[in-house]
Amino acid sequence: MNAASSNTAEKAGRRRLSGSTASLVGWRAVRWLGFYLPLVFVAAGALAFLSVAVWGWGRGTSVPLAEFVRIWPGEPNPAVVAELLLPWLILIWAAVGCLIGWVVRGRMALASSAARRQAARRPDRAAESPTAAVDAVGRWWRADELRLRRTLARWGLPLACAVVCLRLAVVWSNVDRPADQYDYAPYAALLGHIPWSDASGYYEGAQYFNTFGELDIWNQRRPLNALLLAVRLGLCGERLDRALLLQAVLLAASLYLFAAAVGNRYGPWAALAAFAIAWSYGRLYVATTLSESLGLAIGAMAAALLLQAQTRSAIAPAAAGSFALGLAMAVRAGALFLLPGLVIWAVWQFGPGWRRRFAAALAVAGGIGVAFAANALALRCYGTGENVAGSNFALTLCGMAEGTNWSDVYEKYRDRLDSAANEREQAAFLYRTAWERIQDEPSVFLGMMARNEKQFARDLRPWMAGLTSLPLPPDQSIVRKIARTNRWLWTGMLAGLPLALWRWRRGGDWKLLLIVAAATAASAAFLYLDGGFRVFAASWPLTILCWAIALASASRPKLSAPAAAHSAAVRQDATEPASCQFCDWAARLGSLWRAATPLERAGTALIAILTLAALVGPRISFALTPKPTAEMIESAQRDGCWLAFPWPRTAAVAVVGPGDTAPAGMPTVTVAQLERLIDRNIHERIHVLRPLPPTPFVIINVSALTRTQSQVLIGPPDALTLPTDFLRLRVIATESPLHFRLQSAEPARPR
């Protein structure tokens, strides 16, 4: 090489070096924006939220969590907007991180290809290939993804709890928030704290059980939700707000486990997307006593265990996951076709050899059977035999056979249903009627199935996009931008799904997604028009995998311990001699527990705790709750009074004006806030609360023990907070079943 060519090569090398340095600096900035800045914002927000809650608790405020929302000025409230945007922001973070990862991988592939071509053309200049900077960026990005995954594994649970509890803070604060067509809190949690409609039925059933030791007829449809609510109320001293806080922590832990399982297989970006989409659904119900929140929590645990079974090709987590999904379906029935679908998946997925496939199918079917047996046992132990689990589906099925909905069927056969002795007989009559109609006119039933399916397919994409949208008027630019981003985002995620399935084709991931999609579509044909997307609470975590795994990391994460190691551990323990059959089974279970990952142990332990709480816990909560005497009940019925719980054993909100004080610890709402809520018509017939009585007054949920349905009662604070276990109430009826007004109150039995 002569001097001129040497100088030219040296100048070219300096240009490549300066370009590589600029590239490294740029990618350092990108990694800070992609990884650490969002984490800093989330951690700072969670710390501020916790600090304000502790400060409010130290000051003795009635609802410490709500103080974080109330301290912010402005309209709309910044905390409310932040809570609404959190799922969308997390989803955007996941999408941007995934996109950058693929850009990095693409640049590495292009640089490597260019280096190979240059080496082929000019072997003497192969060492001058500028791939060092690109390789460094790739190593940094993979290391940062691993660091993010470990950080989320370590701190994800408290961050998830902060996100979920922020939703409770927004609902309990009663500050003005945008009307959301998907939000059930304004309807099912009146003024943020008072259960209404179906939520009131579950709350009343839990109180009724803790008082009398048996479920009422309505709650025997889904006994597990009412029983677990009764246990939480017993643990929390009958305080509904504390019981809901326990429910929120359970939901946060379940979503954390679900996201961790997704991250183990598909990387941190898919985990963040899974959490965001699942939480955007769960936030609609977490502040209520509806069964959707508990069904989603148990369903998330089931999805986590099933994903672990998919990752490790292990049968034990598949059996535990199927048991959990059966419990979730018992709590909130929905896509029931998914349960036999899991048995098909077990035969299809677990191999090699038919012996192992048969063992997997038997384990999964056994898990589902044990779950339904636990539900039946709870109903037998705590029910009265006047109803059967899932009896409300009879109305839905009969409505489809008639070509209408369940409410029209109820009105059509009201006289016949009212003459039935109990709901068991009503369900039997409706099933017979539905079968006769289907035999006479099967085209009507098939047409209703087609209508259900068509409406489900039409609503799916707007529903998914609407979950992570900002419910503000569309004339605002930020709303239009978010809506436009959501449309492109969801379309891109569906477009990226085939690539993710192709990358994991050897793991058989497409089999599970295919069965989930088919079971969801088949179930929608029977349930969608009557229940909407509420019916998919238990299977929602599995359903959203179709979108979440589209954001799988460009570099596949390392999997957990392989199934071979698990099988070897089991075989080694099985060869050790046992003194008896029981010891042999105990040794096998111990080996399975030792071979399980920490995530599987945590999920299995949570499911076991919930099952024991549903079967054994109600006896304990019933024993700890004060009981009315027979004389108290007979006296109240004879005098035309209601026998009810005082606050804080029931849900209540104090309405105060300037200078007014409320009972210590009771949630409050100002007259101005109540007037705005009435003007916005957040609840049917809420306008009948006017004219409002002089402040202060209390709006309280009254589960009258001498009646069969709870009502909302308005009265003075002193009368409804008497130091007694039970109140004798005389009430004045109004023109609406929404509420009654208090005439007088007296203690039924002083403490």
Side-chain angles (χ1 to χ4, degrees):
M1 182 182 293
N2 54 30
S5 60
S6 177
N7 291 335
T8 302
E10 185 177 349
K11 292 179 181 179
R14 283 197 297 267
R15 285 196 300 270
R16 285 194 296 269
L17 182 59
S18 61
S20 300
T21 303
S23 177
L24 292 178
V25 172
W27 282 107
R28 281 194 177 117
V30 168
R31 65 195 279 238
W32 273 98
L33 292 175
F35 285 101
Y36 303 114
L37 192 60
L39 277 178
V40 168
F41 277 118
V42 171
L47 183 61
F49 177 53
L50 177 62
S51 301
V52 173
V54 173
W55 171 74
W57 177 74
R59 290 179 58 226
T61 56
S62 57
V63 188
L65 286 180
E67 290 300 307
F68 181 78
V69 181
R70 291 172 179 163
I71 62 175
W72 293 95
E75 187 67 31
N77 190 291
V80 173
V81 176
E83 190 275 328
L84 287 169
L85 284 176
L86 262 178
W88 181 76
L89 292 174
I90 296 174
L91 194 59
I92 292 297
W93 179 21
V96 171
C98 179
L99 180 61
I100 294 175
W102 279 104
V103 170
V104 171
R105 181 174 178 178
R107 291 183 75 233
M108 293 178 64
L110 289 176
S112 177
S113 177
R116 287 195 300 270
R117 288 196 302 269
Q118 181 176 342
R121 292 195 305 266
R122 301 286 301 273
D124 57 325
R125 301 184 61 180
E128 300 177 5
S129 177
T131 60
V134 177
D135 292 340
V137 169
R139 289 194 302 270
W140 285 350
W141 192 259
R142 287 193 296 269
D144 284 336
E145 280 194 347
L146 180 60
R147 190 176 297 113
L148 176 63
R149 182 178 166 191
R150 290 174 177 173
T151 302
L152 293 177
R154 179 174 299 176
W155 299 104
L157 181 57
L159 292 178
C161 290
V163 170
V164 174
C165 290
L166 179 60
R167 172 61 177 172
L168 291 184
V170 168
V171 174
W172 289 350
S173 66
N174 278 312
V175 300
D176 289 339
R177 59 183 189 269
D180 189 352
Q181 61 175 326
Y182 303 114
D183 190 4
Y184 276 84
Y187 182 81
L190 192 63
L191 301 178
H193 295 271
I194 302 176
W196 182 249
S197 188
D198 287 359
S200 179
Y202 290 119
Y203 180 49
E204 180 192 7
Q207 289 184 311
Y208 186 89
F209 178 85
N210 281 345
T211 305
F212 296 106
E214 62 183 20
L215 289 169
D216 60 1
I217 295 178
W218 192 82
N219 278 282
Q220 292 176 46
R221 299 174 175 180
R222 297 171 189 164
L224 293 182
N225 186 58
L227 290 174
L228 288 172
L229 179 56
V231 173
R232 295 199 304 273
L233 287 173
L235 291 175
C236 299
E238 303 296 323
R239 292 289 298 267
L240 179 61
D241 54 347
R242 298 173 184 174
L244 289 176
L245 185 59
L246 272 182
Q247 174 178 275
V249 172
L250 174 64
L251 179 59
S254 302
L255 294 182
Y256 164 75
L257 292 177
F258 169 59
V262 174
N264 285 344
R265 188 157 183 83
Y266 303 106
W269 310 118
L272 288 171
F275 178 84
I277 304 172
W279 168 238
S280 65
Y281 183 94
R283 62 179 292 275
L284 306 178
Y285 308 100
V286 70
T288 72
T289 57
L290 293 171
S291 59
E292 281 77 8
S293 184
L294 184 60
L296 176 64
I298 303 178
M301 298 180 210
L305 292 169
L306 291 172
L307 277 174
Q308 285 296 108
Q310 180 92 4
T311 301
R312 298 177 52 231
S313 186
I315 296 177
S322 62
F323 172 74
L325 190 61
L327 281 184
M329 291 292 180
V331 170
R332 202 342 172 172
L336 290 173
F337 286 113
L338 185 55
L339 298 178
L342 285 182
V343 180
I344 299 174
W345 167 74
V347 175
W348 199 1
Q349 174 66 30
F350 293 96
W354 282 104
R355 178 175 297 180
R356 193 166 190 267
R357 296 178 190 274
F358 177 76
L362 189 62
V364 169
I368 296 171
V370 172
F372 279 97
N375 186 61
L377 180 61
L379 186 59
R380 182 175 181 84
C381 292
Y382 304 120
T384 60
E386 299 175 284
N387 205 347
V388 293
S391 61
N392 52 325
F393 179 68
L395 279 170
T396 300
L397 186 65
C398 191
M400 291 182 63
E402 298 274 356
T404 180
N405 53 45
W406 68 268
S407 57
D408 292 339
V409 166
Y410 186 83
E411 292 298 328
K412 179 178 180 180
Y413 298 108
R414 176 182 288 272
D415 295 338
R416 177 66 179 82
L417 295 176
D418 290 344
S419 63
N422 49 50
E423 285 201 18
R424 180 188 289 270
E425 292 188 5
Q426 293 179 1
F429 166 74
L430 290 171
Y431 280 128
R432 287 196 305 270
T433 304
W435 179 242
E436 292 171 0
R437 293 290 186 273
I438 292 172
Q439 287 180 313
D440 293 340
E441 295 181 286
S443 60
V444 174
F445 184 75
L446 295 176
M448 288 297 297
M449 290 180 63
R451 282 181 56 191
N452 274 282
E453 204 66 58
K454 182 179 179 180
Q455 193 64 38
F456 170 73
R458 182 181 299 171
D459 292 347
L460 180 59
R461 187 170 179 269
W463 162 264
M464 295 294 296
L467 282 178
T468 52
S469 294
L470 191 62
L472 290 172
D475 56 349
Q476 299 190 20
S477 60
I478 185 175
V479 178
R480 292 197 300 271
K481 291 177 181 178
I482 291 176
R484 191 180 304 116
T485 303
N486 275 340
R487 287 195 294 270
W488 283 104
L489 179 61
W490 290 107
T491 303
M493 291 170 71
L494 279 180
L497 178 62
L499 175 61
L501 294 180
W502 174 257
R503 295 174 64 202
W504 273 270
R505 62 190 182 279
R506 293 184 179 179
D509 296 45
W510 61 275
K511 301 175 185 177
L512 179 61
L513 293 186
L514 179 62
I515 287 176
V516 170
T520 302
S523 303
F526 294 89
L527 302 170
Y528 182 72
L529 287 179
D530 273 351
F533 284 96
R534 288 178 60 186
V535 301
F536 301 116
S539 58
W540 186 250
L542 287 172
T543 303
I544 64 174
L545 286 177
C546 297
W547 286 269
I549 69 173
L551 299 183
S553 297
S555 57
R556 292 182 56 170
K558 293 182 179 180
L559 302 182
S560 305
H566 165 268
S567 302
V570 173
R571 284 195 301 268
Q572 181 179 359
D573 289 339
T575 56
E576 297 179 359
S579 58
C580 61
Q581 187 69 25
F582 175 78
C583 295
D584 180 58
W585 281 102
R588 290 176 181 273
L589 289 176
S591 66
L592 290 174
W593 182 259
R594 288 190 298 273
T597 64
L599 191 152
E600 294 166 9
R601 294 176 186 175
T604 305
L606 273 178
I607 292 297
I609 290 171
L610 287 176
T611 305
L612 289 176
L615 296 177
V616 181
R619 293 292 184 192
I620 301 175
S621 64
F622 170 68
L624 297 176
T625 305
K627 313 294 187 298
T629 62
E631 292 78 10
M632 292 165 57
I633 297 176
E634 293 174 1
S635 174
Q637 292 175 338
R638 183 176 60 251
D639 298 339
C641 297
W642 290 5
L643 188 65
F645 304 109
W647 187 84
R649 289 191 61 196
T650 190
V653 175
V655 182
V656 297
D660 292 331
T661 59
M666 182 179 290
T668 59
V669 61
T670 65
V671 176
Q673 287 175 324
L674 180 57
E675 291 282 3
R676 284 196 297 268
L677 292 174
I678 296 175
D679 292 337
R680 287 174 52 191
N681 196 28
I682 64 166
H683 194 284
E684 58 184 7
R685 297 189 297 271
I686 196 173
H687 63 278
V688 300
L689 292 175
R690 289 175 172 149
L692 297 176
T695 60
F697 61 91
V698 171
I699 303 177
I700 191 168
N701 179 281
V702 179
S703 297
L705 304 179
T706 54
R707 307 176 67 251
T708 58
Q709 186 177 4
S710 61
Q711 299 290 348
V712 173
L713 181 66
I714 294 179
D718 295 340
L720 297 171
T721 57
L722 294 173
T724 180
D725 291 327
F726 300 96
L727 289 173
R728 283 168 50 95
L729 306 177
R730 294 186 183 274
V731 300
I732 302 173
T734 64
E735 62 185 70
S736 169
L738 175 66
H739 79 288
F740 287 71
R741 294 189 184 271
L742 180 65
Q743 181 179 4
S744 65
E746 60 183 8
R749 182 179 63 190
R751 289 177 182 167

